[in-house]
Every structure is written in C-alpha cells, then in structure tokens.
Amino acid sequence: MRPRVESAQVRDIILAVDVSGSMTAPDFVDATGQRRDRLYVTKQAVYDFIQNRKARPEDRYGMDRIGLLLYASYAWIQTPLTLDYSLIEHDLTDIEIDQRDEKHNRTAIGSAIGLAVSNLNKSPAKSRVIVLLTDGINNHGSLDPITAADLAKRFGMRVYTIGAGSAVPRSAVARDNPIDEEAMKKIAEVTGAKYYRATDLASLQQAYDEINK
C-alpha cells in the first residue's frame, strides 16, 4: 500500500550518474576480490543508497522522492522523482554503456546539473538535493558546471559531488579524461555541500552512506 505523505514534507533527491564511455574502465574491485568496471560498482552503491532510504528493506516505497538522471554527451531523466523505489531499481538494473553510441562519448556535467535543477525547481519539497557522480571532466554541453552550481544555489539546492575512479586508471580513455577535482569541489562548495573522492568500492559506498545520513 502506498504511504500517504504531504509533498512539502518529503525530501527530493536526484541521483545524477555519469554514463560516459570511461565508466566502463575496470579499475574497481568488489567485496569478493573480482575486478569490476566503474558503472557496475556505481550501480551497486546507488542501489544501496536507495535501500537505505526505506524504513524497512522489504518496503517498496520510501518516504523521500528520488529521481535517476543519466548523462554523457547530454543529460536525460531516466526515472522521474518518485516514492516508488522499485521503479528506480528496475531502471538502474537496465543501465548499459555502448561505446559505439556517440551519446556516450562525452561528459556534459553542466547539463546534468542544469536538468536536475530544472526538475527540482518544480518541487515544493522542504529539501532538494542533487548527488552527482562523475569519473571525468566537463567536455560537452553549453552550460558550464560552475554556472549550473550557481543556479542550484540560487534556488536553495545542494549539489553533492563524487569523483569515481582508481588512483591508477587502467584504460586510455580514463587516463585521458581525469576527474576535474577542483571543479567538483567548487560545485559542492558553492551549494553548501561536499565533494567525495572514491577510489574503490568501499570509499564509493561510504560517500553515498555519508550523504544518506
């Protein structure tokens, strides 16, 4: 049964996940010691984040609305803001990266923040938060990430940023597109949030856990 909640009392959270080609770099190791790509462990960490926002693990619905935004050469809403977490979990499972598809060749961080702000600005929620994960630099789109962060600040939104990737990149694409940590720190600072650096599965999960709290 769907819980009855007042829209103004919930938190609205958009999880923005980078799905550019470099996210296929296999430089993370999971709990079993098996090497995994960045997207695989990110999906696991996002899944854990969603689970932790439920009152009970078996619940289908949460008390805060969560939306899933994906971005590479451009940004799009994969799952609109919803209390039905099963929808997000389903969409999360289906995320794949086809490096032959041009839409995965670039990283439009500014566009991702801009689209998230546009969606959250329609919300009457008491708290509106963007959690943006990337493993690269902004190299596409017409909106500068810092300008987008200023826009988020103007509307009272916080943007937590996560830089994901091993300290020793294992692919040419990853090496050629290092994380712009200065920009990620600035985005978080401007909006009153925090930047996290995740170099392995444990630190990635810890970042999402800390934001959850």
Side-chain angles (χ1 to χ4, degrees):
M1 183 176 179
R2 181 170 181 162
R4 188 177 176 185
V5 288
E6 296 295 331
S7 61
Q9 297 304 310
V10 303
R11 294 179 180 85
D12 277 353
I13 304 166
I14 288 187
L15 303 176
V17 177
D18 186 342
V19 290
S20 59
S22 56
M23 287 291 286
T24 61
D27 59 0
F28 277 118
V29 177
D30 66 16
T32 67
Q34 187 171 355
R35 190 163 294 283
R36 299 289 190 179
D37 64 49
R38 296 171 178 181
L39 180 62
Y40 179 93
V41 297
T42 296
K43 288 164 68 172
Q44 183 60 58
V46 170
Y47 177 82
D48 291 345
F49 180 93
I50 295 166
Q51 290 297 309
N52 289 335
R53 298 217 67 80
K54 295 179 179 179
R56 297 172 301 177
E58 65 271 20
D59 289 348
R60 174 174 177 175
Y61 297 97
M63 297 306 294
D64 295 322
R65 295 199 305 173
I66 297 177
L68 180 62
L69 180 155
L70 305 181
Y71 69 99
S73 294
Y74 55 89
W76 65 96
I77 297 293
Q78 186 73 16
T79 314
L81 287 163
T82 180
L83 291 169
D84 187 347
Y85 291 2
S86 67
L87 295 177
I88 311 169
E89 291 164 3
H90 177 270
D91 287 347
L92 188 64
T93 302
D94 288 345
I95 299 174
E96 294 181 351
I97 295 174
D98 181 356
Q99 295 201 60
R100 297 168 299 179
D101 188 336
E102 288 188 4
K103 80 175 183 180
H104 294 292
N105 289 344
R106 300 282 182 174
T107 309
I109 295 171
S111 298
I113 298 172
L115 181 59
V117 169
S118 176
N119 275 261
L120 289 174
N121 195 40
K122 305 168 187 174
S123 162
K126 65 176 181 179
S127 177
R128 297 172 294 174
V129 173
I130 300 164
V131 182
L132 182 136
L133 178 140
T134 186
D135 71 338
I137 60 175
N138 184 76
N139 55 20
H140 203 66
S142 58
L143 183 59
D144 175 76
I146 306 304
T147 302
D150 286 334
L151 190 63
K153 177 185 178 181
R154 187 187 311 167
F155 291 114
M157 303 170 193
R158 285 170 291 156
V159 184
Y160 290 90
T161 54
I162 302 173
S166 170
V168 184
R170 292 178 174 268
S171 75
V173 175
R175 286 193 297 270
D176 293 343
N177 296 277
I179 299 166
D180 187 350
E181 291 200 86
E182 288 306 310
M184 294 301 102
K185 291 175 183 176
K186 184 66 175 177
I187 290 166
E189 179 186 343
V190 163
T191 62
K194 185 176 177 180
Y195 167 68
Y196 298 86
R197 180 72 170 93
T199 58
D200 54 30
L201 176 59
S203 57
L204 180 58
Q205 289 175 319
Q206 183 178 354
Y208 277 107
D209 285 346
E210 187 171 323
I211 295 168
N212 234 331
K213 293 173 184 176

